Amino acid sequence: MTTTATDGIVPKFIQIHFLAAWPGALLNRDDAGLAKRLPFGTATRTRVSSQCLKRHWRMADDPRALHELAKRNGIEGVRSKQAIEREVTGPLRARFDKDMVDAVEEAFITKFYGKNAKDKQQRQALLFGRPELAWLASEAERLLAESASAAGVKAAAEIWVKEQKNNLNQLRDQNLLAASLEAALFGRMVTSDTRANRDAAIHVAHAFTVHAMQAETDYFTVVDDLSDREQGDDAGAAGVFDTELTSGLYYGYVVVDVPLLVSNLTGCDRKDWTGDHDRTLAAQVVEHLVHLVAEISPGAKKGSTAPYSRAELVLIEAGDRQPRTLANAFRDAVTTDHDPEGSLGQRTAQAMAKHLTDYDTLYETGEARRHTAMPDLALTGIANGPLRELAAWAGSVVRDATA
């Protein structure tokens, strides 16, 4: 567990493990409004889905938010069921005949959302990059400008769809990141344009509590400020409700496929990612991601629970072998009973450290490691420093790697 340098290792994968606690919160709820759950090992745990985590990391109101990084580089993304109407044909309606715009709009919607896409509720929410939307808008404008009637533009749009079967994929030849930074990092599936699909370079596991689920039903009322008990009004409650709140210490796990990340961002062959390519953006992504994982909280019911916390331990590993989670360190749920041997956090960190040592003994994969942790959770034998240094190190692993 003592290695901190990447000497002799081409770091194909970066693994980020974190421990973070939230009391009295509803971080991620299911369709019934209850906290999401996960049966695992000896107990059912509270869960935060990977989709929830990724969205908060992408959209955080933070200088290191991934959407801010995308904005600075002109490669933002829009995920919507109404991208064509809102971003492509909508701005053209003030300049062209309604029936003509309707014809182009229908052709574009059918192309990307399917034949039954007139019902917006039946559509798949697609991720488009801003460069893609700008290109589609220019194509729609060209079709309208070159046509004299609704029938003419409808025919022209149908020919456009057939001749450019893989529209978005063709645009990639002109602008590598046309699909957006988000697509390059977290992947994209477009069933109508399969060659425009992207494999995710960042893999995110569902976070879960290291101990059994701790839940409480919170009963609350809404008070009517204008009720008058003396006039025979009720006790003043305008509504009676309940919701589920949970508390817990969560383990989370993120993997960065470094060759795929560099390939998605630079266009190089995945096998040639250590070649002479500009890895500045890839390094920034990793550095920002480390900060976001540690500092950004997911959470519903923010107004009534203030679910803001930060990770108490972040461990990063860089290696050239298949990643492996440390979740199995908590297959037997950590007990929440008072223990004179240490706090819940200490015992959790110790369980993680033991599991890591056992893996090292069994597989000898030699990952380089560094971490940051609260004093009582610090791991022995692994370089420990502030989050800023940890994030910078992770970025340098990507930027400076050589074959």
Side-chain angles (χ1 to χ4, degrees), residues 341-386:
E341 296 298 319
S343 67
L344 173 63
Q346 286 176 313
R347 287 181 281 117
T348 299
Q350 289 167 4
M352 178 188 288
K354 181 182 183 305
H355 198 67
L356 194 55
T357 298
D358 291 343
Y359 265 141
D360 285 347
T361 301
L362 186 60
Y363 292 106
E364 301 178 316
T365 47
E367 289 84 5
R369 299 178 183 129
R370 293 191 182 187
H371 82 302
T372 188
M374 302 289 277
D376 58 335
L377 273 66
L379 304 176
T380 303
I382 300 178
N384 187 357

Side-chain angles (χ1 to χ4, degrees), residues 232-256:
D233 288 355
D234 58 24
V240 178
F241 308 91
D242 63 69
T243 189
E244 184 173 53
L245 299 180
T246 65
S247 298
L249 175 59
Y250 292 77
Y251 167 77
Y253 178 58
V254 179
V255 175
V256 179

Side-chain angles (χ1 to χ4, degrees), residues 58 62-76 181 185 280-286 288:
R58 292 197 324 264
D62 187 275
R64 295 188 178 88
L66 296 177
H67 75 91
E68 289 292 339
L69 185 60
K71 185 176 180 180
R72 289 197 295 272
N73 287 273
I75 46 177
E76 306 122 290
L181 180 65
L185 304 186
T280 302
L281 181 56
Q284 287 179 325
V285 165
V286 171
H288 285 209

